Amino acid sequence: HKEYRRQRQMCIRDSATGDAVLAAQAAGADFAYIGSAFIATREARATDAYKQAIVQGSSDDIVYSNLFTGVHGNYLAPSIVAAGLDPANLPVSDPGKMNFGGDAAKAWKDIWGCGQGIGAIDRVLSTAELVQRLDREYRAARARLALNG
């Protein structure tokens, strides 16, 4: 007989609300990834400008590009503009010609990453406050499902 081993399933998305975590679970994920919401916490070592760009931004500010690292990722348009580049006209990178030793703007330091959960982030919180909010939202979403089920 064959032994069945369940492989872990991850929801690869920036879940910024308790509702999104429950939705990932309902879709079969074992866990959900939360990134940008934690960048915008008081304890995060991100600059205040980075945190405010997340708070003030929306999904329209997300730019998908491989220019900065050679690997496609989501970056905040205001940080790209601050580096003197046009987010709407970024060239495609050739990973074989990347120069990581130059004076160019550095990904994650000068060019800020951010996920699609940006729209759910409306202020800088402490990590404890964020976790409490996520827990509250998750429990409320579960309760709504129970009422409708």
Side-chain angles (χ1 to χ4, degrees), residues 3 9 15 32 35 62 79 91 95 105 107 123 148:
E3 182 179 325
Q9 301 292 318
S15 305
I62 302 295
S79 68
R123 66 183 181 270
N148 294 324

Side-chain angles (χ1 to χ4, degrees), residues 6-15 20-34 138:
R6 185 175 187 275
Q7 296 200 2
R8 301 210 59 54
Q9 301 292 318
M10 181 175 116
C11 177
I12 302 175
R13 96 177 264 250
D14 192 5
S15 305
V21 173
L22 182 61
Q25 233 180 355
D30 291 308
F31 57 95
Y33 175 82
I34 303 172
Y138 178 85

Side-chain angles (χ1 to χ4, degrees), residues 93-137:
S93 173
D94 177 356
K97 295 182 180 178
M98 294 298 294
N99 175 7
F100 294 101
D103 291 330
K106 303 248 186 260
W108 305 294
K109 181 178 181 287
D110 302 312
I111 308 295
W112 302 327
C114 190
Q116 297 297 326
I118 189 173
I121 304 163
D122 60 1
R123 66 183 181 270
V124 175
L125 303 170
S126 71
T127 300
E129 290 169 323
L130 174 60
V131 170
Q132 290 167 357
R133 190 199 82 203
L134 291 166
D135 181 60
R136 210 173 34 252
E137 291 169 348

